[in-house]
Amino acid sequence: VQLQASGGGLVQAGGSLRLSCRASGGFYSTYMVGWFRQAPGKEREFVAAISRSGFFKSYADSMRGRLTISRDNAKNTVTLQINSLKPEDTAVYYCAADQVTDTDYVDRGRSVYDFWGQGTQVTVSS
């Protein structure tokens, strides 16, 4: 499966962004999907993940309350809404996918995901 992340940009602190991860070349409904981010000089870190069914979701503790992840398997798209953006949210955001059999499984581990998109830059100005 190939992943295409989009929706990043420059936004003022307090604003919102909606990131999208669109898949092609596979049955998206058989994959759990995660979002990760990497700021300059830092390791890539977990942001959010959603199960195949869409019913189970996991969010980074540091961003909880500001994130909403959702998916539309008919459109092969996973969306990440980020509200109340802060300058420290500035990073490249990557979507990733892993094919799993359990429809309700979700994982935060970066090493679990086999397929990665190219990333989309999010820059938050103060």
Side-chain angles (χ1 to χ4, degrees):
V1 67
Q2 292 80 45
L3 304 176
Q4 179 74 37
S6 62
L10 175 63
V11 63
Q12 287 189 332
S16 300
L17 280 175
R18 179 173 294 183
L19 308 182
S20 293
C21 180
R22 185 171 179 83
S24 60
F27 295 100
Y28 209 29
S29 62
T30 66
Y31 293 81
M32 69 173 176
V33 177
W35 282 95
F36 295 78
R37 68 181 184 180
Q38 187 166 18
K42 295 187 177 181
E43 290 191 357
R44 194 170 298 188
E45 64 177 359
F46 171 78
V47 175
I50 189 166
S51 65
R52 283 178 52 188
S53 66
F55 293 139
F56 288 86
K57 305 169 185 180
S58 182
Y59 297 109
D61 293 340
S62 61
M63 300 180 73
R64 192 178 296 276
R66 300 194 290 123
L67 301 173
T68 303
I69 189 170
S70 60
R71 69 187 299 161
D72 185 339
N73 287 335
K75 296 182 178 179
N76 284 350
T77 300
V78 169
T79 299
L80 179 69
Q81 175 79 25
I82 313 174
N83 297 324
S84 303
L85 280 157
K86 306 174 182 180
E88 51 264 42
D89 293 324
T90 295
V92 177
Y93 284 70
Y94 298 89
C95 61
D98 186 56
Q99 196 168 32
V100 294
T101 55
D102 186 345
T103 58
D104 294 332
Y105 182 72
V106 64
D107 202 301
R108 297 176 168 223
R110 184 180 61 192
S111 62
V112 169
Y113 293 83
D114 291 330
F115 302 94
W116 291 80
Q118 86 292 353
T120 184
Q121 176 70 48
V122 172
T123 303
V124 184
S125 63
S126 57

